[in-house]
Amino acid sequence: MSEKLQKVLARAGHGSRREMEAWIAAGRISIDGEIASLGDRIEADVKIRIDGRAVSIKSEEDLICRVIAYHKPEGEICSRKDPEGRPTVFERLPKTRDSRWVAVGRLDINTSGLLLFTSDGELANRLMHPSNEVEREYAVRTFGEVSDACIQRLRTGVTLEDGPASFDKVKAAGGEGMNKWWHVSLAEGRNREVRRLWESQEVQVSRLIRIRYGMIELPKSLPRGGWVELTMEQVNYLRKTAGLKEETRTVLGTDKHSVARSKVKGSKIRRAVRKHKAVASKPARKRT
């Protein structure tokens, strides 16, 4: 049965469906030597090239949906490449075969915390769609006076430049003096929405950390710059949320050596984090 080209490429992890549609429109993708067009449908036996490079279009049954949780540090951007040479969130992710990691949403350069990546671009596309309304929770450190009336306005709603917005929940989480911590949640992913909500009340955000996406929490033991593979149960929670059928396979080991491998992976992550910090601390070379 034929399927839309952008859907097949997204499912295979070559990018989100929106990215694939943009690449098709730009003439970057060909089908059996002919430049593809939006709306093209393909069968399993065609040859697909992106920028002249042959790519895999395995069937849905041949692909294992993988999702990893990444602890994004401040200072990294959510693009694959940056013309200014800033570090990106993709630099420390594990290598994959016949696909690439697709980010589920974005965090701005000054925000840290939980960022999900998947090998299934269709899953990423659906999770990012506003209709899914996946709840995100953030730990926020504010600087300035925060009154009860301010909190009430943030709960009931304020008007931002792109429309009304509000937090579903606002809970005090400690702090001293003018520096206070709060846990806030909302089910939207508009650009800098959490910061803009606080700024609408003339309150400065000095730290912002995403600690939960739906039912997926940022692991407390995961260092900044580290990643961990989600279990099949967690993957299927996300797939159910996105309206996709259940995954029945996982790359995570289930035999008696799994714990040992997990410890080795943990040590590799810590070494990678230390190495990346050392590289990042060196002054950048000037381009001539």
Side-chain angles (χ1 to χ4, degrees), residues 16-76:
S16 69
R17 195 193 298 186
R18 184 178 299 177
E19 283 180 305
M20 295 301 98
E21 288 172 350
W23 290 9
I24 293 169
R28 297 177 56 184
I29 301 176
S30 66
I31 306 171
D32 289 336
E34 300 290 333
I35 298 298
S37 301
L38 284 172
D40 281 351
R41 302 181 71 90
I42 61 170
E43 302 286 349
D45 58 348
V46 299
K47 293 182 180 179
I48 304 297
R49 292 182 179 271
I50 298 177
D51 296 331
R53 177 177 56 86
V55 297
S56 168
I57 54 166
K58 292 181 179 179
S59 68
E60 190 171 2
E61 291 71 26
D62 292 332
L63 296 168
I64 298 177
C65 177
R66 297 176 61 189
V67 183
I68 58 174
Y70 178 64
H71 189 163
K72 176 191 176 297
E74 294 177 3
E76 289 186 352

Side-chain angles (χ1 to χ4, degrees), residues 67-202:
V67 183
I68 58 174
Y70 178 64
H71 189 163
K72 176 191 176 297
E74 294 177 3
E76 289 186 352
I77 64 170
C78 290
S79 299
R80 293 187 184 275
K81 294 181 181 179
D82 180 55
E84 298 180 29
R86 293 172 296 183
T88 83
V89 295
F90 291 92
E91 292 174 5
R92 286 187 275 189
L93 302 185
K95 302 297 183 183
T96 61
R97 290 184 179 179
D98 300 325
S99 65
R100 64 178 189 167
W101 294 113
V102 181
V104 180
R106 304 168 71 89
L107 294 175
D108 69 44
I109 190 169
N110 295 317
T111 301
S112 61
L114 178 63
L115 189 59
L116 299 180
F117 293 85
T118 176
S119 61
D120 186 338
E122 180 65 14
L123 173 62
N125 183 72
R126 294 199 184 192
L127 289 174
M128 289 187 284
H129 197 278
S131 63
N132 274 308
E133 296 186 338
V134 181
E135 186 177 70
R136 291 94 156 157
E137 184 176 356
Y138 297 81
V140 186
R141 187 178 70 188
T142 60
F143 178 77
E145 191 66 34
V146 180
S147 65
D148 291 342
C150 168
I151 297 301
Q152 185 61 27
R153 287 191 294 272
L154 290 173
R155 286 180 176 140
T156 57
V158 299
T159 300
L160 303 178
E161 59 267 29
D162 54 354
S166 64
F167 290 127
D168 297 329
K169 298 175 185 175
V170 183
K171 181 180 178 182
E176 297 179 352
M178 298 292 281
N179 291 290
K180 296 289 178 60
W181 281 96
W182 309 85
H183 282 189
V184 302
S185 63
L186 72 173
E188 291 185 313
R190 283 190 268 171
N191 184 41
R192 300 184 70 254
E193 188 171 6
V194 175
R195 293 182 186 274
R196 290 189 292 133
L197 274 163
W198 285 102
E199 289 167 359
S200 74
Q201 305 303 301
E202 299 183 353

Side-chain angles (χ1 to χ4, degrees), residues 184-251:
V184 302
S185 63
L186 72 173
E188 291 185 313
R190 283 190 268 171
N191 184 41
R192 300 184 70 254
E193 188 171 6
V194 175
R195 293 182 186 274
R196 290 189 292 133
L197 274 163
W198 285 102
E199 289 167 359
S200 74
Q201 305 303 301
E202 299 183 353
V203 176
Q204 178 184 344
V205 173
S206 55
R207 289 285 304 279
L208 182 57
I209 309 167
R210 184 154 73 186
I211 57 176
R212 181 171 59 83
Y213 183 92
M215 292 175 59
I216 309 299
E217 297 183 348
L218 178 67
K220 290 183 172 59
S221 60
L222 187 63
R224 283 181 294 177
W227 58 270
V228 64
E229 188 105 21
L230 297 193
T231 65
M232 190 160 64
E233 181 182 8
Q234 291 173 312
V235 169
N236 280 329
Y237 154 71
L238 293 172
R239 292 185 67 83
K240 182 178 179 180
T241 300
L244 295 172
K245 71 177 185 179
E246 189 175 88
E247 176 60 85
T248 59
R249 297 164 299 166
T250 178
V251 298

